[in-house]
């Protein structure tokens, strides 16, 4: 039972354009969402996150949007750069309170290729 | 300075052997994790420790046993290795259990032949 899904295994974008990576989830108890970026032979690195009390969080070229009613989040990268080429994982967790176990549920990743 | 380090980076071994993967973090974090990334690229949590106390123990065979000698280290011991154990294993840490931002090590690619 895959609770976090990234239905697009790959995405190709021209440099300078917008990249939009999508993620869907099924568990309505999830209240914190994160995006990780992963280069080959390296571990995932934290990129940006959003709490369920917000619908948007922005950090430089990266913006995450959350649509709770649709159980959908997206990561926008603008402008895209060749160095952004990597695998992007979306992750979700339950609870930022003291009851949080720290468990992250990951999607299967989307490979982004930004062409020069 | 590497924040979360794992050794070895690559591990090739035969079925039936026992092996260990070591993880160390120098971030001063209280919580550490082990994840497994299988051939389908899914990252799944296996264990987490908070201040040396086991918090998460997912449905993992008993052949896998984490050990945390102190809060900066979380090692993974695997007994009687099987072909299906071949995967990339990632260690991660977070400031404490209430913080969701986890910092990952570079991974250990385990190949069981």
């Amino acid at each position: 039972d895959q609770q976090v899904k990234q239905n697009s295994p790959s995405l190709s974008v021209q440099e300078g354009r917008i990249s939009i990576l999508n993620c869907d989830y099924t568990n309505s108890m999830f209240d914190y969402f994160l995006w990780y970026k992963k280069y080959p032979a390296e571990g995932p690195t934290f990129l940006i996150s959003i709490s369920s009390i917000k619908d948007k969080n922005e950090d430089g070229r990266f913006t995450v949007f959350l649509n709770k009613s649709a159980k959908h989040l997206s990561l926008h990268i603008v402008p895209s750069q060749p160095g952004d080429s990597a695998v992007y994982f979306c992750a979700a967790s339950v609870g930022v309170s003291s009851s949080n176990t720290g468990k992250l549920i990951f999607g299967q990743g989307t490979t982004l290729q930004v062409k020069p | 300075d590497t924040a979360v380090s794992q050794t070895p980076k690559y591990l090739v071994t035969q079925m039936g052997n026992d092996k260990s993967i070591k993880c160390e973090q120098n971030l001063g974090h209280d919580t550490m994790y082990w994840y497994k990334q299988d051939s389908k690229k899914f990252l799944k949590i296996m264990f987490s420790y908070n201040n040396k106390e086991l918090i998460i123990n997912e449905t993992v065979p008993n052949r896998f046993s984490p050990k945390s000698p102190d809060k900066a280290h979380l090692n993974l011991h695997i007994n009687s290795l099987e072909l299906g154990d071949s995967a990339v294993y990632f260690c991660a840490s977070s400031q404490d259990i209430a913080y969701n931002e986890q910092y990952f090590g570079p991974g250990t690619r385990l190949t069981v032949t």
Side-chain angles (χ1 to χ4, degrees):
Chain A
D1 178 27
Q2 191 62 17
Q3 299 183 69
V4 178
K5 296 180 183 180
Q6 294 175 255
N7 291 317
S8 298
S10 62
L11 174 68
S12 183
V13 170
Q14 206 65 34
E15 181 180 5
R17 306 295 289 269
I18 185 170
S19 295
I20 300 176
L21 297 104
N22 294 304
C23 178
D24 297 297
Y25 62 95
T26 57
N27 189 341
S28 58
M29 297 297 291
F30 288 147
D31 60 3
Y32 200 80
F33 304 89
L34 307 90
W35 284 94
Y36 281 82
K37 176 180 179 180
K38 184 183 180 304
Y39 292 117
E42 294 183 12
T45 55
F46 170 71
L47 196 56
I48 192 169
S49 62
I50 187 167
S51 164
S52 60
I53 62 173
K54 295 185 176 182
D55 54 18
K56 177 183 173 181
N57 188 26
E58 191 172 351
D59 183 2
R61 297 185 297 113
F62 302 91
T63 303
V64 55
F65 294 92
L66 175 62
N67 182 335
K68 282 179 292 187
S69 60
K71 294 191 178 68
H72 176 85
L73 65 154
S74 61
L75 174 68
H76 292 211
I77 307 172
V78 57
S80 301
Q81 300 173 353
D84 297 329
S85 298
V87 179
Y88 289 79
F89 290 96
C90 127
S93 75
V94 176
V96 291
S97 67
S98 59
S99 63
N100 188 13
T101 63
K103 180 177 177 178
L104 292 182
I105 307 296
F106 281 84
Q108 65 268 53
T110 297
T111 300
L112 173 66
Q113 182 185 27
V114 180
K115 297 179 179 178
Chain B
D1 274 350
T2 305
V4 182
S5 60
Q6 295 177 229
T7 53
K9 191 166 177 62
Y10 299 97
L11 184 54
V12 181
T13 188
Q14 291 185 328
M15 283 174 52
N17 285 347
D18 304 336
K19 290 292 178 186
S20 295
I21 306 171
K22 295 186 176 181
C23 178
E24 176 181 2
Q25 54 94 4
N26 62 7
L27 297 167
H29 287 171
D30 284 349
T31 311
M32 296 185 72
Y33 311 81
W34 276 109
Y35 285 84
K36 178 181 180 181
Q37 185 178 35
D38 60 23
S39 56
K40 295 184 179 178
K41 307 300 182 187
F42 287 108
L43 262 169
K44 293 185 178 177
I45 191 162
M46 301 172 69
F47 303 101
S48 77
Y49 271 73
N50 187 57
N51 271 324
K52 302 197 304 176
E53 179 187 352
L54 181 65
I55 301 298
I56 296 174
N57 186 350
E58 290 293 287
T59 308
V60 177
N62 290 337
R63 300 181 293 103
F64 290 78
S65 56
K67 287 186 171 54
S68 182
D70 55 61
K71 72 175 191 178
H73 296 85
L74 180 61
N75 304 322
L76 183 65
H77 301 274
I78 315 172
N79 295 324
S80 302
L81 278 155
E82 300 177 358
L83 292 176
D85 298 332
S86 296
V88 182
Y89 293 85
F90 290 98
C91 175
S93 72
S94 64
Q95 185 172 337
D96 65 40
I97 206 166
Y99 283 82
N100 290 281
E101 287 83 5
Q102 296 177 15
Y103 296 82
F104 284 77
T108 296
R109 181 174 292 278
L110 171 65
T111 304
V112 182
T113 61

